[in-house]
Amino acid sequence: MAKPPTPPEAPKPGNFLRSIIERDLESGSWSARHFGGSPGDGAHHRAGPADPAKIRTRFPPEPNGYLHVGHAKSICLNFGLARDYGGVCHLRFDDTNPEKEEQEYVDAIIEAVHWLGFGWEANGSSHLYWASDYFDFMYRAAEALVEAGLAYVDEQSAEEMRAARGDFNTAGTASPFRGRTPAENLARFREMRDGRLADGAAVLRAKIDMASPNINLRDPTLYRIKHATHHNTGDRWCIYPMYTYAHPIEDALENITHSICTLEFEDQRPFYDWLLDQLATLGLLERPCPRQYEFGRLNLSYVITSKRRLRALVDEKIVEGWDDPRMPTIFGMRRRGYTPESIRAMADGTGASKSNIWLDYSVLEGCLRDDLEGKAARAMAVLDPLPLKLVNWTEVFGTGHIEPCRAPAHPQRPELGQRRFGLGPEVWIERDDFAEAPPKGFFRLFPGNKVRLKYGVVVECTGCEKDAQGRVTAVLAKVVPDTKSGTPGADAVKVRGTITWVAAHDALAATVVLYDRLFTEAQPEAGGRDFREVLNPQSKQVVQAWIEPSLSETAPETRLQFERHGYFVADRTLHQPGQPLFNRITTLRDSWAK
Ligand code: ATP
Ligand code: MG
């Protein structure tokens, strides 16, 4: 099990949403609700049995892009609260805006939520819903508001409306259309619906208070005209509801109890409450109505989460697609090797607070290391290969001998078994494990020094070979007899350094991609800077490596620790048997810590 992370600087934020839900459950605020088995109006739910879900939350993405780590936070919060309190979380596609949605995004969102470990099947039904299925009710509710004198058709131009709204210091002024009778408004609204008016010619507005200190209550727009084809409803509608009108209704029809959103919607809450209260009073919805709660957005250092910016990274080919392993999309993180457990641990560990938070990227990496440490099998790989020639091999072992070696797949998990590989007269070592003139404190290979080849034998360096430019092309060493790991007396020869290696005769060639952060600055857009100025030129380095023969059957998405190097994953799209391709998930320690 992953330990919950402790953000280094801030104390662990609490989760005020849990307190609210616990208080609600204790006082039974939601216990008398009925649920009609599917979304519907007040009468539909009233006719159903008691709601089997103690609470209902929802995750309401707009299917207009790929989900990112900020959405993952919201998913973990909404599905997690429902799971923890005997509730149900709905997946709702907020597709009230025609023209923008695409099937590609719908499929990707479904897959991402599942991959994170959440589902929407509960009490024998699937709670996956489409906001556009509620257009009929939304229209009926709008007519009811018009008839009750709570909404009117405004035919001012967009500029006139904006000017009349006033601002923080000035009250708004009433539209000349505000005094129309309900009958006039109803007739005009139906003309809007019937396609008799052009885009932008009129809107339906709530009639609330043009002098309200909350500008969102100065007669907000409920419907606009848009002659556009919708993926679900086709050409049936040419008027579409505004998000602020649609969202509370979607929640109410689905019997949502706790509608959790990010802080920027705080100013919308009075309208959310006003609307649902009016519709309940008009008999269209049941009470108690859903309640909206706002929590602070999650921002990660070194990461950009705006959909628009992520799209720019893809379109400008700064990255290689939405699932590029450097992208903070759920698909990118998955390809990079992140585990769903580590993302959930990060989300749980950051709780829910009333202010936006900046989380240090190292916290997420810490969750990942905590999770992988116990899970990932070990293997050896040489990422910057240099040959090491064991010059006395034949003398010690005889011609053509290969010495069999074994190593645990995981040091704490014997049940994972042993890896097997051979040691022969020539092996690959890391170039930086040799120094002709060793710097102070260097305990690895240099002439005259002894090191252990991990799980193998002790060798003593005797020198190196160089090319015409003076570059080292091979290291030379002698095997020290009777030092094989695991044999009696192997430790009689003391060494201060142990190095990883793979044997030239049985190593597999592999492509290894060393990924790193996409930006060099923790807040790439601080002070209005263009994020393109702080791209990390080292965010992707491709190396040709040698890996242990035990990895010949590795399946895509297998996560491993290459000893001394970090955690790696077999790429889920490009890795193939015979052509291994591993991505570096993260190094063993935080290499960015100052
Ligand atoms: P973007 O601004 O990147 O386009 P969005 O919020 O418009 O994102 P939606 O598809 O509407 O995208 O988001 C679905 C849900 O995810 C919303 O409830 C939203 O509040 C939540 N969400 C999005 N980003 C974050 C974040 N950084 N932290 C927490 N929740 C988030
Ligand atoms: Mg949105």
Side-chain angles (χ1 to χ4, degrees), residues 22-333:
E22 284 163 20
R23 186 199 64 202
D24 285 354
L25 290 178
E26 214 163 287
S27 67
S29 348
W30 302 102
S31 56
R33 291 169 318 120
H34 285 233
F35 185 63
S38 58
D41 64 9
H44 172 76
H45 288 309
R46 212 161 33 243
D51 193 338
K54 289 208 170 72
I55 61 166
R56 286 184 189 267
T57 55
R58 85 286 172 272
F59 174 66
E62 217 179 316
N64 63 355
Y66 283 85
L67 300 182
H68 54 61
V69 62
H71 296 118
K73 166 76 196 175
S74 177
I75 292 168
C76 293
L77 192 60
N78 279 295
F79 282 92
L81 289 170
R83 174 199 59 209
D84 293 349
Y85 293 103
V88 174
C89 181
H90 300 183
L91 175 63
R92 178 201 307 149
F93 287 107
D94 209 321
D95 61 345
T96 52
N97 198 1
E99 296 170 325
K100 269 186 148 178
E101 288 87 20
E102 280 180 38
Q103 189 62 34
E104 175 193 352
Y105 300 131
V106 169
D107 296 340
I109 289 170
I110 289 177
E111 196 178 339
V113 179
H114 273 149
W115 180 76
L116 279 173
F118 300 106
W120 39 89
E121 308 287 329
N123 309 311
S125 64
S126 164
H127 300 278
L128 186 156
Y129 300 121
W130 298 86
S132 58
D133 285 339
Y134 311 146
F135 282 162
D136 284 317
F137 179 88
M138 288 174 190
Y139 180 79
R140 174 152 73 96
E143 283 208 349
L145 292 172
V146 169
E147 286 173 336
L150 295 167
Y152 62 100
V153 174
D154 194 348
E155 297 179 46
Q156 295 182 99
S157 69
E159 289 89 89
E160 285 168 334
M161 258 183 267
R162 202 172 309 123
R165 191 165 289 129
D167 56 28
F168 189 70
N169 300 308
T170 338
T173 45
S175 160
F177 299 93
R178 201 173 197 263
R180 280 174 161 171
T181 65
E184 280 174 300
N185 280 314
L186 190 61
R188 201 65 179 144
F189 186 42
R190 288 181 176 169
E191 283 171 12
M192 280 172 65
R193 176 201 60 187
D194 294 339
R196 311 260 292 277
L197 293 164
D199 286 11
V203 294
L204 184 74
R205 295 177 76 174
K207 193 170 181 177
I208 308 179
D209 179 4
M210 287 305 290
S212 172
N214 182 340
I215 292 177
N216 296 298
L217 291 180
R218 296 184 187 173
D219 294 6
T221 302
L222 310 182
Y223 264 95
R224 72 213 143 120
I225 303 170
K226 197 164 188 173
H227 289 84
T229 304
H230 187 278
H231 77 99
N232 181 17
T233 55
D235 291 325
R236 187 151 172 250
W237 298 96
C238 63
I239 56 170
Y240 289 94
M242 302 300 287
Y243 178 85
T244 44
Y245 174 72
H247 202 84
I249 292 180
E250 294 160 20
D251 286 342
L253 295 180
E254 292 179 21
N255 241 21
I256 300 302
T257 55
H258 301 80
S259 177
I260 297 162
C261 61
T262 39
L263 276 185
E264 67 272 21
F265 292 99
E266 194 166 15
D267 290 345
Q268 294 288 355
R269 183 167 12 104
F271 175 70
Y272 185 103
D273 292 339
W274 179 90
L275 177 65
L276 295 185
D277 192 52
Q278 299 299 340
L279 296 178
T281 303
L282 291 169
L284 274 70
L285 297 174
E286 275 291 89
R287 292 186 206 274
C289 295
R291 301 295 309 261
Q292 173 180 304
Y293 298 97
E294 309 86 19
F295 74 101
R297 265 182 187 262
L298 172 72
N299 300 292
L300 268 183
S301 64
Y302 298 98
V303 166
I304 281 179
T305 51
S306 137
K307 256 184 228 164
R308 208 152 49 84
R309 304 276 198 283
L310 295 179
R311 191 180 301 282
L313 289 170
V314 174
D315 289 348
E316 294 170 27
K317 305 214 165 14
I318 295 168
V319 296
E320 286 153 44
W322 287 101
D323 68 344
D324 184 295
R326 293 164 292 180
M327 286 285 271
T329 52
I330 297 179
F331 276 70
M333 295 173 81

Side-chain angles (χ1 to χ4, degrees), residues 490-551:
D491 296 331
V493 179
K494 295 285 175 227
V495 293
R496 294 185 73 180
T498 296
I499 65 172
T500 46
W501 56 279
V502 289
H505 75 277
D506 67 5
L508 307 172
T511 302
V512 173
V513 192
L514 303 174
Y515 285 113
D516 204 342
R517 298 174 185 189
L518 198 48
F519 301 102
T520 52
E521 292 294 325
Q523 302 201 4
E525 299 189 289
R529 175 176 47 214
D530 186 332
F531 63 82
R532 293 168 191 83
E533 289 166 23
V534 291
L535 289 169
N536 176 8
Q538 314 280 3
S539 66
K540 176 179 181 179
Q541 283 174 278
V542 181
V543 301
Q544 292 307 316
W546 293 103
I547 61 175
E548 235 181 74
S550 65
L551 300 179

Side-chain angles (χ1 to χ4, degrees), residues 337 415 451:
E415 75 277 12
V451 300

Side-chain angles (χ1 to χ4, degrees), residues 373-374 378 408-416:
E373 164 58 26
R378 284 14 179 195
H410 191 287
Q412 280 85 45
R413 297 181 57 192
E415 75 277 12
L416 295 184

